[in-house]
Amino acid sequence: MKNPPKIADATGKLGVLLVGLGAVSTTTIAGVLAVRRGLAPPIGALTQMGTIRLGKRTEGRSPLIKEFVPLAALDNVVFGAWDLFQDNAYEAAKTAGVLEADLLEQVKPELEAIEPMAAVFDRRYVKRLDGPNVKKGKTKKDLAEQLIEDMRRFKKAHNCDRLVMVWCGSTEVFLTESPAHATLAAFEKALEANDDNIPSSMIYAYAAIKQGLPYANAAPNLSADVPALLELASQTGSPLAGKDLKTGQTLIKTIIAPGLKARLLGVEGWYSTNILGNRDGEVLDDPESFKTKEESKKSVLDYILQPNLYPELYKDLCHVVRINYYPPRGDNKEGWDNIDIFGWLNYKMQLKVNFLCRDSILAAPIVLDVALFLDLAKRAGMEGIQEWLSFYFKSPMHAPGLYPEHDLFIQSMKLKNTLRFLRGEDLITHLGLEYYD
């Protein structure tokens, strides 16, 4: 095993730049401000509340993760954002309707100070949205250079030592890799030519990676996960993670499905329906954006259940995913699943799951964790795909030729073993035979 890397100091300000100032972004920002002031605990944030076991079980060493690895302190985090609407973070949070007014009032001055920068936005890729706060440029390369200038100005104005970018924008229409994505040279030529295969999210990703920033994609659309941008990341040292935050229904799938497979119980059908009324639901009401989300949500079971290895149990699985835009629900999402399973002697059984959740409440701590862990990766000299952060995503980025790991429990082990490696601690296999010698 390689020696653990040296990790640069975490002191100094970390600028977290969020693309989109909607429900997820404002809930993240307001939540961090509330936690900093002791108004609420950081529930759901592994970086803030999680512990990590070190050594043997008999040693009793389980420090907080934030005390084990040098993460940026919340007091040193500064937020910025781009958005196609001009509302500041306080106004945007009120519009999103996720957080109670009493909490927002307590952090109002800090939220009002966050004015969104003009966004790179093209309605061809997100058809259900439009807004006035949009950049103009002759080419997509010009728009990328404007974003780079935004980053430089923000870093200087807020005296930040480092920056990290997280795409929290809406799901774009479904795209597949094209020749424009094959090499960095082809990509930059496509930027100059305003190629339709370069959506807004890729312009942000290019700008961030060009500057060596860590970049994460919280949505399911094609973004940094193309050969051209992986090539650029290898040149600039950018750590990358994504895509599509694992929050509601898919989180439950990655908890239940590994258990069914571990006990070799067959699955005949898995029917999933979502009811969602926020901006994300409105965007996904467009069939082309839904196609992007559907691909992300449906791939999970294929990789967890491995029908190629267990054809008798999973080969003929009928997996259906539906998302219904229902405005009265707002950010309170409901996901229900009907799971038809079979066991010993082919006897049939069913599971019913009804998850009434709050989409942005589940997503916000993930945005925080991913930003802090990507900053750690950058300071540790870890570039390119950060597969150890798969824990947070529906469609985890992975090396070419590998299948993605979707099992939540394997993902958790991978994440914590990476942290152990970074600090020179023994990796934990859970073999445990030494306790019985």
Side-chain angles (χ1 to χ4, degrees), residues 18-22 81-87 92 116-119 132-134 204 279:
L18 304 176
V19 184
L21 198 52
W82 292 271
D83 199 81
L84 64 159
F85 300 106
Q86 295 171 318
D87 293 348
M117 297 173 278
N133 197 34
V134 177
Y204 280 98
R279 187 191 295 181

Side-chain angles (χ1 to χ4, degrees), residues 203-276:
I203 301 174
Y204 280 98
Y206 171 82
I209 298 167
K210 186 77 171 176
Q211 295 300 293
L213 270 61
Y215 175 83
N217 179 16
N221 41 270
L222 200 65
S223 181
D225 49 325
V226 295
L229 294 182
L230 295 178
E231 180 185 342
L232 182 60
S234 71
Q235 295 178 10
T236 63
S238 287
L240 307 176
K243 55 189 186 176
D244 202 6
L245 297 184
K246 182 159 56 182
T247 52
Q249 189 173 66
T250 307
L251 172 64
I252 299 302
K253 281 184 178 175
T254 60
I255 293 171
I256 294 175
L260 295 175
K261 191 182 82 169
R263 291 296 301 269
L264 294 179
L265 294 171
V267 182
E268 187 177 17
W270 198 311
Y271 187 96
S272 300
T273 292
N274 294 266
I275 300 171
L276 182 61

Side-chain angles (χ1 to χ4, degrees), residues 367-384:
V367 174
L368 174 63
D369 278 359
V370 167
L372 296 185
F373 278 141
L374 281 177
D375 175 58
L376 172 68
K378 176 69 176 180
R379 288 183 285 109
M382 302 167 72
E383 65 185 41

Side-chain angles (χ1 to χ4, degrees), residues 126-422:
V126 182
K127 297 182 178 180
R128 296 297 172 93
L129 293 182
D130 202 6
N133 197 34
V134 177
K135 294 185 187 302
K136 305 293 183 184
K138 291 183 179 180
T139 68
K140 294 182 178 183
K141 184 71 178 294
D142 179 39
L143 293 172
E145 289 168 354
Q146 290 181 48
L147 291 174
I148 290 171
E149 184 57 33
D150 285 345
M151 297 176 216
R152 290 172 177 161
R153 277 199 304 267
F154 181 89
K155 187 176 181 181
K156 182 177 180 180
H158 295 276
N159 195 28
C160 294
D161 286 3
R162 313 174 305 284
L163 300 176
V164 60
M165 183 190 292
V166 183
W167 170 273
C168 294
S170 297
T171 299
E172 295 173 324
V173 299
F174 183 70
L175 292 175
T176 56
E177 283 187 28
S178 76
H181 307 134
T183 67
L184 180 57
F187 189 91
E188 291 184 329
K189 186 177 179 180
L191 285 173
E192 293 277 13
N194 289 326
D195 194 309
D196 288 343
N197 290 295
I198 310 292
S200 304
S201 63
M202 280 190 187
I203 301 174
Y204 280 98
Y206 171 82
I209 298 167
K210 186 77 171 176
Q211 295 300 293
L213 270 61
Y215 175 83
N217 179 16
N221 41 270
L222 200 65
S223 181
D225 49 325
V226 295
L229 294 182
L230 295 178
E231 180 185 342
L232 182 60
S234 71
Q235 295 178 10
T236 63
S238 287
L240 307 176
K243 55 189 186 176
D244 202 6
L245 297 184
K246 182 159 56 182
T247 52
Q249 189 173 66
T250 307
L251 172 64
I252 299 302
K253 281 184 178 175
T254 60
I255 293 171
I256 294 175
L260 295 175
K261 191 182 82 169
R263 291 296 301 269
L264 294 179
L265 294 171
V267 182
E268 187 177 17
W270 198 311
Y271 187 96
S272 300
T273 292
N274 294 266
I275 300 171
L276 182 61
N278 60 12
R279 187 191 295 181
D280 192 30
E282 183 178 6
V283 168
L284 292 174
D285 204 35
D286 170 57
E288 291 185 74
S289 289
F290 171 71
K291 173 68 172 174
T292 306
K293 176 68 87 171
E294 182 183 34
E295 291 295 315
S296 173
K297 290 172 76 71
K298 290 188 74 170
S299 65
V300 170
L301 291 184
D302 293 337
Y303 289 109
I304 291 178
L305 297 177
Q306 296 177 295
N308 58 316
L309 298 180
Y310 302 98
E312 291 179 282
L313 299 177
Y314 311 117
K315 179 175 178 292
D316 297 320
L317 167 64
C318 177
H319 186 196
V320 178
V321 175
R322 296 286 182 263
I323 298 177
N324 297 291
Y325 178 47
Y326 183 56
R329 280 296 165 89
D331 199 66
N332 294 342
K333 181 169 68 175
E334 180 171 359
W336 63 264
D337 294 75
N338 176 80
I339 312 164
D340 290 285
I341 66 175
F342 55 95
W344 186 247
L345 305 178
N346 281 324
Y347 274 75
K348 297 181 184 297
M349 296 169 279
Q350 288 186 352
L351 283 170
K352 307 283 189 183
V353 180
N354 190 19
F355 189 20
L356 288 89
C357 59
R358 295 172 179 252
D359 205 39
S360 300
I361 294 297
L362 292 169
I366 297 181
V367 174
L368 174 63
D369 278 359
V370 167
L372 296 185
F373 278 141
L374 281 177
D375 175 58
L376 172 68
K378 176 69 176 180
R379 288 183 285 109
M382 302 167 72
E383 65 185 41
I385 296 169
Q386 304 299 303
E387 192 184 335
W388 62 284
L389 296 179
S390 297
F391 179 71
Y392 295 108
F393 297 99
K394 292 188 186 78
S395 299
M397 292 180 69
H398 53 91
L402 283 182
Y403 67 82
E405 182 55 68
H406 281 283
D407 184 317
L408 186 74
F409 306 99
I410 295 175
Q411 291 174 334
S412 176
M413 187 184 302
K414 185 189 294 285
L415 188 155
K416 290 191 174 182
N417 268 338
T418 301
L419 298 180
R420 293 181 185 107
F421 164 73
L422 288 176

